[in-house]
Amino acid sequence: MMSCVVRMRPLLLVMLVAAVIPGGASLAPSTARRQGVNLEMTTHRHPSGRDDGTPLEKFRVDLDDPPHVRWKHIMKANREGARATMFYLFSSLPETVHSEVDVLISNAEARLPAWAREEMLGVADALNVTFGDVVIVNLFFEITPFCTSIVSQSAASGLIYHARNMDFGLAMPPLSASLRDIAIDVEFWNSGKLAFSATTFAGYVGVATGMRAGAFSVTANEREMTGSIPVPNIFKSLINLVNVLMSTDAYPVTWAVRELLEKEDSDFDRVVSLLGARKFATQMYLTVGGVSAGEGVVLTRGRNELLNTWRINAEDGEWFLVQTNYDHWIPMPPWDNRKAPAEKAILEVGAEEISPSTIYKRVLSRDPVLNQLTVYSTTMSCSEGTYASRVRDCPKCSPFR
């Protein structure tokens, strides 16, 4: 069995690189970030007919239903867009390689958690695609959430407000446009009650953006560059994804987040502790918000260890945290410094006026925090029970990188 694993790993890496880098495009930065900001909201017409700022369509998933059928109605409503996105990702993949990858995933199928395996099998059936394709796309989403996460504390009320821009596309605008068509809000219900809310893509069973009202909110950002001389981390992530399929030791971050959101006994402290301790398949930043003053944190995660804990401390003037895709204690790369404009915008709003509305209008909608690859914006307050997501489409904004 081990010799088979070693033989298959290079093939999977070639496949994944081909899937996420169509036409052999370079990962190297190609465009420096423009200077200056733009506070105006865009009015660009989205190809699907949704203007920038339009609320995402909302669906319901009933956790009391068998996992295989939970996403059936969602995939029926988003079938064309989901298939188009998968076609784009796999357009450069040779058929022979594709078939071999399906065999590899079939061998690893039993190692996947039952709920994820059955839900992805249901998605595959609804879309009339292979189970392997659905698994690969779900793992692709695990390593590519380039985004900005913000957690802040109001000086007026002490409430915690959590927000994020999801930037997706690996500098490929057509992929970002395709993802806008399948970005959705999902309410997960259990025993007749709302359990938690999440923003995701149709067919993606993990959670990178979610909230359990009265308990905690969470966003996951890919940790792209590490080390004294940062280098793209995607290749490390691709290697780690092989470990997800071939071992039980590593676990996808967004699957772990989904499981914590489902648990009734999850609260801020418990979630921070568990997310800091678990072994994961990829490096990630996890921003967690709570219901009380001081309950805001960014966890910098390696695969096997917690590297840094960064907490809100309003008494010392640190009433907000901004996390993009780089370690917060090192200089941001000059071609992608979304962090400084976001921090400047928040300071202009001020702790007295901070709210989901002001974060959305004056921070998340500010160039380059809002950029050409931004797919959606989400604002959350688990103490107030408010959750809102909007499609973003700003062709006049800064290019990503």
Side-chain angles (χ1 to χ4, degrees):
M1 180 63 182
M2 182 58 67
S3 61
C4 177
V5 172
V6 173
R7 186 168 59 250
M8 291 300 294
R9 282 186 177 183
L11 179 60
L12 181 57
L13 289 176
V14 170
M15 184 283 300
L16 285 168
V17 172
V20 301
I21 313 174
S26 174
L27 281 175
S30 59
T31 306
R33 178 71 61 205
R34 290 208 310 267
Q35 299 297 317
V37 296
N38 179 5
L39 291 174
E40 295 181 355
M41 299 294 290
T42 63
T43 57
H44 176 71
R45 174 66 65 178
H46 186 259
S48 68
R50 296 184 297 175
D51 287 337
D52 176 81
T54 301
L56 295 186
E57 188 171 3
K58 186 177 295 184
F59 293 88
R60 172 172 169 167
V61 165
D62 195 330
L63 296 173
D64 294 320
D65 289 338
H68 192 88
V69 302
R70 289 173 182 168
W71 294 84
K72 183 177 181 179
H73 61 295
I74 296 176
M75 301 321 300
K76 180 178 180 180
N78 292 275
R79 190 174 190 272
E80 181 179 349
R83 286 178 60 89
T85 301
M86 296 180 73
F87 178 82
Y88 184 86
L89 288 173
F90 290 116
S91 60
S92 62
L93 182 64
E95 181 62 32
T96 54
V97 176
H98 207 154
S99 299
E100 291 187 60
V101 171
D102 280 340
V103 172
L104 172 62
I105 293 175
S106 178
N107 292 336
E109 182 177 337
R111 297 186 178 94
L112 303 178
W115 67 266
R117 181 177 66 249
E118 290 302 313
E119 287 189 6
M120 288 189 289
L121 282 167
V123 169
D125 287 347
L127 294 179
N128 192 28
V129 298
T130 68
F131 173 69
D133 283 356
V134 175
V135 174
I136 291 297
V137 170
N138 270 262
L139 294 177
F140 167 78
F141 286 150
E142 181 80 9
I143 65 171
T144 53
F146 297 92
C147 37
T148 302
S149 289
I150 299 167
V151 63
S152 61
Q153 180 175 315
S154 167
S157 64
L159 296 179
I160 299 297
Y161 297 121
H162 193 164
R164 77 104 45 88
N165 270 358
M166 174 65 82
D167 304 325
F168 242 122
L170 286 175
M172 296 183 290
L175 177 57
S176 301
S178 180
L179 290 171
R180 290 184 186 105
D181 286 331
I182 60 172
I184 56 174
D185 273 350
V186 180
E187 291 185 340
F188 290 81
W189 287 65
N190 194 358
S191 301
K193 298 179 180 180
L194 175 63
F196 66 95
S197 301
T199 307
T200 187
F201 302 105
Y204 177 45
V205 302
V207 176
T209 308
M211 181 188 82
R212 188 175 183 95
F216 73 99
S217 55
V218 60
T219 54
N221 295 28
E222 193 262 348
R223 186 171 181 240
E224 183 187 7
M225 297 187 177
T226 57
S228 57
I229 302 178
V231 294
N233 199 42
I234 188 171
F235 294 109
K236 294 181 184 178
S237 298
L238 293 176
I239 293 171
N240 292 339
L241 286 179
V242 177
N243 292 329
V244 173
L245 298 176
M246 302 311 300
S247 76
T248 58
D249 192 35
Y251 203 74
V253 176
T254 62
W255 294 4
V257 169
R258 160 84 183 266
E259 290 174 356
L260 287 173
L261 284 164
E262 289 190 19
K263 294 183 180 299
E264 291 187 6
D265 61 350
S266 290
D267 59 20
F268 176 81
D269 289 331
R270 175 178 171 80
V271 167
V272 170
S273 176
L274 291 174
L275 290 178
R278 189 162 189 176
K279 290 185 178 181
F280 288 131
T282 53
Q283 302 188 83
M284 195 74 70
Y285 302 106
L286 291 158
T287 303
V288 186
V291 297
S292 303
E295 292 188 340
V297 66
V298 174
L299 304 175
T300 299
R301 279 300 316 260
R303 286 188 58 223
N304 299 314
E305 67 282 327
L306 175 64
L307 301 175
N308 182 263
T309 301
W310 186 26
R311 291 182 179 272
I312 278 180
N313 188 342
E315 292 183 357
D316 288 344
E318 199 163 30
W319 57 273
F320 67 87
L321 309 175
V322 175
Q323 180 64 56
T324 57
N325 300 103
Y326 317 99
D327 294 344
H328 67 86
W329 58 89
I330 63 174
M332 297 297 103
W335 60 84
D336 182 21
N337 187 1
R338 287 161 286 142
K339 187 172 187 288
E343 290 174 336
K344 180 180 179 182
I346 294 174
L347 288 171
E348 290 174 356
V349 173
E352 291 288 344
E353 295 186 34
I354 202 72
S355 69
S357 176
T358 56
I359 294 175
Y360 173 74
K361 293 179 180 178
R362 297 170 61 181
V363 183
L364 298 182
S365 298
R366 186 168 187 163
D367 188 348
V369 182
L370 176 65
N371 58 76
Q372 291 182 15
L373 296 188
T374 306
V375 175
Y376 67 77
S377 296
T378 299
T379 58
M380 302 173 275
S381 172
C382 56
S383 58
E384 297 175 317
T386 59
Y387 190 99
S389 300
R390 301 168 177 85
V391 69
R392 306 314 307 263
D393 190 8
C394 186
K396 295 182 180 180
C397 286
S398 297
F400 193 84
R401 300 188 185 184

